[in-house]
Amino acid sequence: MSLTVISFTEKGITLSEKLKEIWEDEDISLFTKCRASLEKKTDCSVCFVDPELESFVRGQMEEKNGLLFIGACGIAVRAIAPVIRNKLCDSPVLVMDEKGSYVIPILSGHMGGANELAERISQKTGAVPVITTATDINKKFAVDLFAKKNGLYIVNREGIARVSAKVLAGEQITMSIETGHRRTEEKIPGEIRILEYPPRQPVDVVITAEERSFAAVLLLKPREYVIGMGCRKGKEADKIETLIFQTMDKLGISVCQLLALASIEQKKEEKGFLDWSRKNNIPFLTYSSQELMELTGDFHSSAFVKKKVGVDNVCERAALKACEPLGRLIYEKYAQDGMTIAAARREWRIKFDEK
């Protein structure tokens, strides 16, 4: 995920530059609304935000970039307010004071990763992370974070608050997991009591890929599928999108069932892939040719492709790589108009261990 840092004062600009310098392995872009301070600098990687702040923020959130405001919380709140959609797809937003003393996640703490990002910024800068999410500060089980870590999508988001309220009240929640998808040797958190599957009584959380009805407060389903793709450089975004949706239609799956879109490292800046990923809130993963070639199995090899990018097949190998540790191809390489596509299905297992 890219991080956009927005400052409003000369001290804010200096702090943003320091952050980028000490966090050089991250994709960080610097912006400011303080033109006067920016004009004093002769060599500067900070860009002036020319449009209204709200319009700029809207564009950043549409691209699914994380936002770090260096300034007052009020500025950030007013800027993001018209753009906020829901907790499952909003970008992570944080605020940091211009002295770098505190870093505060204010939006999408769990699903967007703002809380985790605050902790990482704290480790780099020494700023105190101000976490306000109730489950975090009370060190309780957070069902939305649990879903994210396990590659699950939330069918009915209104159930999150009801389950979290029960946890915070000190009550044990019940959970039923589809047979064969739980690591039985793993320790279960004390807040959770596992019920048999399918549950014979009302249950707080059900986790399953099956299409059936349950008397459950919250229904979680696995993101089981990965689309692997390769394409000619500069391939039109609409054609990439059309092929992806055509493939999903053939497989009878929807976007919410996708774990990722995957390709080779050389395509990490391919605009069509990035646009589709951001638009549909699906991670875009890329791998080196060496990582892809390490996979064993039968693939539709191409000597031409191997000569060009160092691997004999991009789409099939990338799809399987994203399924690790276990997955299988369910849709073999298909080529169309300068694009190749394949799909794989991962073997999902529920994990409670935080490590």
Side-chain angles (χ1 to χ4, degrees):
M1 178 186 66
S2 299
L3 178 65
T4 296
V5 183
I6 312 166
S7 59
F8 302 89
T9 63
E10 186 171 353
K11 287 183 178 179
I13 291 174
T14 301
L15 178 57
S16 69
E17 291 177 316
K18 177 185 176 183
L19 181 63
K20 186 176 178 68
E21 180 182 344
I22 63 178
W23 214 357
E24 58 184 4
D25 55 335
E26 295 289 328
D27 182 10
I28 300 177
S29 300
L30 308 183
F31 295 88
T32 188
K33 287 294 286 182
C34 186
R35 188 191 294 273
S37 298
L38 196 60
E39 289 174 348
K40 297 177 183 179
K41 294 179 172 288
T42 55
D43 182 20
C44 184
S45 59
V46 184
C47 299
F48 181 70
V49 177
D50 200 20
E52 291 295 320
L53 183 60
E54 181 187 315
S55 299
F56 174 77
V57 167
R58 182 182 299 277
Q60 294 297 315
M61 293 184 75
E62 286 176 351
E63 292 186 6
K64 306 301 180 185
N65 294 333
L67 291 170
L68 172 62
F69 289 80
I70 299 180
C73 282
I75 296 174
V77 170
R78 284 191 291 271
I80 67 174
V83 195
I84 295 174
R85 294 171 57 197
N86 69 69
K87 68 184 297 175
L88 301 186
C89 63
D90 288 329
S91 296
V93 180
L94 305 94
V95 176
M96 196 173 191
D97 64 286
E98 65 175 29
K99 289 186 177 181
S101 301
Y102 303 95
V103 57
I104 313 166
I106 63 170
L107 185 69
S108 204
H110 284 165
M111 298 304 288
N115 289 1
E116 181 184 355
L117 190 53
E119 296 286 357
R120 291 166 61 198
I121 291 173
S122 169
Q123 292 169 8
K124 289 287 185 180
T125 65
V128 176
V130 182
I131 309 298
T132 58
T133 315
T135 49
D136 290 66
I137 62 175
N138 288 288
K139 300 187 183 304
K140 297 285 189 178
F141 174 77
V143 70
D144 51 351
L145 187 58
F146 165 80
K148 179 182 177 181
K149 289 182 175 180
N150 278 282
L152 306 171
Y153 70 92
I154 298 166
V155 176
N156 55 323
R157 70 173 184 266
E158 67 278 2
I160 299 172
R162 292 174 60 190
V163 171
S164 295
K166 194 170 180 179
V167 171
L168 290 168
E171 299 177 41
Q172 198 174 47
I173 62 169
T174 54
M175 181 180 291
S176 180
I177 303 170
E178 184 180 328
T179 305
H181 296 280
R182 179 169 73 88
R183 300 180 183 186
T184 54
E185 75 283 358
E186 193 174 40
K187 183 179 179 181
I188 306 299
E191 300 103 321
I192 300 170
R193 178 163 60 93
I194 299 296
L195 300 183
E196 63 182 347
Y197 182 90
R200 298 180 182 179
Q201 63 193 75
V203 63
D204 292 310
V205 182
V206 169
I207 305 173
T208 181
E210 294 185 335
E211 295 296 330
R212 55 194 300 178
S213 298
F214 300 94
V217 174
L218 184 64
L219 179 60
L220 306 179
K221 287 183 170 290
R223 295 182 179 273
E224 293 184 273
Y225 302 94
V226 175
I227 295 291
M229 285 195 76
C231 73
R232 286 200 304 259
K233 185 177 181 180
K235 194 64 187 174
E236 299 90 337
D238 60 335
K239 292 186 177 178
I240 288 174
E241 179 173 75
T242 296
L243 183 56
I244 291 176
F245 281 113
Q246 284 177 348
T247 303
M248 288 197 298
D249 284 343
K250 291 177 184 177
L251 295 171
I253 62 176
S254 62
V255 170
C256 60
Q257 293 174 277
L258 290 185
L259 182 72
L261 171 67
S263 191
I264 194 167
E265 193 173 44
Q266 288 94 318
K267 291 295 176 182
K268 65 181 179 181
E269 301 298 332
E270 190 67 46
K271 187 176 184 302
F273 290 155
L274 291 171
D275 286 351
W276 190 88
S277 170
R278 290 164 179 160
K279 178 180 177 181
N280 292 279
N281 205 30
I282 298 297
F284 176 46
L285 308 178
T286 59
Y287 304 97
S288 68
S289 56
Q290 181 179 345
E291 287 177 304
L292 295 180
M293 283 301 293
E294 287 174 353
L295 293 172
T296 58
D298 295 324
F299 301 100
H300 291 78
S301 300
S302 166
F304 174 77
V305 171
K306 187 170 185 180
K307 183 178 179 181
K308 292 282 288 186
V309 297
V311 60
D312 59 357
N313 180 297
V314 170
C315 60
E316 292 178 343
R317 288 181 179 273
L320 274 179
K321 180 67 178 177
C323 289
E324 287 187 331
L326 292 173
R328 62 183 178 86
L329 280 176
I330 59 168
Y331 186 78
E332 297 181 356
K333 176 182 174 181
Y334 173 75
Q336 176 181 299
D337 193 21
M339 300 172 286
T340 59
I341 193 167
R345 185 176 186 177
R346 72 181 179 105
E347 293 292 330
W348 59 279
R349 292 287 185 277
I350 295 304
K351 182 178 182 181
F352 291 94
D353 188 358
E354 292 289 332
K355 296 178 182 178

